[in-house]
């Protein structure tokens, strides 16, 4: 299989910086290999497929004839009855018998290479940035951790179905936004490809954007 080659933007990318009321107040310069990345979009499919597989419970279970209680006594003698020979009432061909080759508990999870996972996440973030769906704001500070306050703040920003990525300084907003039906809030540590692609907009503060840059920019060539 030929090696997949990733295209990375070496030059920095400038993202529009907004105030809490959706007014452009400047620009934020970030690493191009995180927020302006180009590459093989099949990585996104691989990452989402892995995440969905890892979420599968794998708890489906059926009983073979050896797992069903009873059936230890031979139902009738081997010969002389005129009936087919039978050794157990728990045989799979009997009613209430065992199941042949039924599902058993299994683990569906697997891991893709770390380098590929990081590249896929940067591709997803870059896609939102290129399509004008990445909103970098100065602050997500609210007076008190109330859902109503978080909803009002996002309404001013003009987002309808957003993934909000929070940092250490956004504790109140994280608590307030957890119950919003149309949005999802994640800490930086939980940022993933599936959620970035599953929501139309991506919202973060400039401090969070810099933290994401510091986390991934230096690892793209490892």
């Amino acid at each position: 299989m030929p090696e997949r080659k990733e295209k990375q933007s070496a030059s920095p990318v400038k993202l529009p910086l907004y105030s809490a009321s959706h007014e452009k107040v400047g620009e934020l310069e970030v690493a191009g290999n995180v927020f302006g990345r180009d590459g093989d979009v099949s990585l996104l499919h691989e990452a989402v497929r892995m995440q969905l597989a890892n979420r599968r419970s794998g708890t489906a279970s059926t009983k073979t004839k050896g797992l069903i209680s009873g059936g230890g006594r031979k139902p009738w003698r081997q010969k002389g009855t005129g009936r087919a020979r039978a050794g157990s009432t728990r045989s799979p061909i009997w009613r209430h018998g065992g199941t042949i080759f039924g599902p058993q508990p299994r683990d569906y999870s697997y891991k893709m290479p770390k380098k590929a996972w990081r590249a896929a996440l940067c591709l997803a973030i870059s896609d939102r940035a290129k399509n004008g769906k990445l909103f970098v704001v100065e602050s997500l500070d609210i007076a008190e951790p109330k859902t109503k306050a978080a909803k009002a703040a996002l309404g001013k920003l003009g987002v309808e179905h957003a993934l909000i990525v929070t940092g250490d300084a956004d504790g109140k907003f994280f608590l307030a936004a957890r119950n919003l039906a149309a949005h999802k809030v994640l800490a930086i540590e939980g940022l993933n490809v599936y959620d970035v692609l599953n929501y139309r907009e991506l919202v973060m503060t400039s401090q969070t954007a810099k933290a994401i840059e510091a986390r991934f920019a230096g690892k793209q060539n490892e």
Side-chain angles (χ1 to χ4, degrees):
M1 179 182 294
E3 184 179 354
R4 177 188 286 117
K5 294 182 179 180
E6 292 296 324
K7 299 178 182 177
Q8 299 184 31
S9 175
S11 57
V13 174
K14 291 185 178 180
L15 301 175
L17 182 63
Y18 297 97
S19 66
S21 58
H22 199 192
E23 295 178 358
K24 187 175 179 180
V25 294
E27 291 181 330
L28 180 69
E29 187 174 281
V30 289
N33 61 349
V34 178
F35 292 88
R37 191 184 184 99
D38 292 316
D40 190 346
V41 294
S42 66
L43 274 177
L44 300 176
H45 175 265
E46 291 180 21
V48 170
R49 186 171 178 268
M50 182 198 72
Q51 281 191 246
L52 295 180
N54 293 350
R55 293 182 183 186
R56 294 184 67 176
S57 61
T59 54
S61 179
T62 53
K63 291 184 177 181
T64 63
K65 67 178 182 179
L67 297 175
I68 299 178
S69 62
R73 179 177 178 272
K74 190 173 175 65
W76 51 75
R77 58 187 178 138
Q78 182 80 348
K79 295 179 180 292
T81 64
R83 290 178 287 188
R85 55 193 173 184
S88 171
T89 58
R90 300 302 183 260
S91 169
I93 63 176
W94 281 56
R95 185 169 179 263
H96 300 308
T99 301
I100 304 175
F101 303 130
Q104 295 294 321
R106 59 166 290 188
D107 183 10
Y108 290 93
S109 65
Y110 67 95
K111 290 184 178 180
M112 63 189 296
K114 288 183 179 180
K115 185 176 180 179
W117 167 255
R118 289 195 292 262
L121 183 55
C122 292
L123 277 174
I125 296 173
S126 299
D127 175 77
R128 291 294 177 260
K130 292 174 184 177
N131 290 297
K133 299 298 183 181
L134 173 58
F135 295 90
V136 181
V137 296
E138 292 179 308
S139 173
L140 287 173
D141 189 33
I142 52 178
E144 52 184 349
K146 297 290 185 180
T147 303
K148 185 177 180 180
K151 185 176 181 179
L154 293 173
K156 291 179 181 178
L157 194 58
V159 295
E160 298 177 350
H161 188 244
L163 174 68
I164 305 105
V165 185
T166 60
D168 296 334
D170 308 317
K172 288 184 179 179
F173 195 90
F174 183 88
L175 294 175
R178 289 182 300 175
N179 290 331
L180 293 174
H183 309 284
K184 183 173 183 177
V185 59
L186 282 178
I188 295 179
E189 295 76 18
L191 185 60
N192 62 86
V193 177
Y194 178 81
D195 282 325
V196 172
L197 297 179
N198 195 41
Y199 286 83
R200 289 196 296 269
E201 299 104 2
L202 182 61
V203 179
M204 63 183 70
T205 64
S206 56
Q207 183 178 353
T208 302
K210 282 296 184 181
I212 293 174
E213 177 188 34
R215 186 172 185 181
F216 294 107
K219 298 182 179 180
Q220 295 304 313
N221 296 320
E222 291 182 2

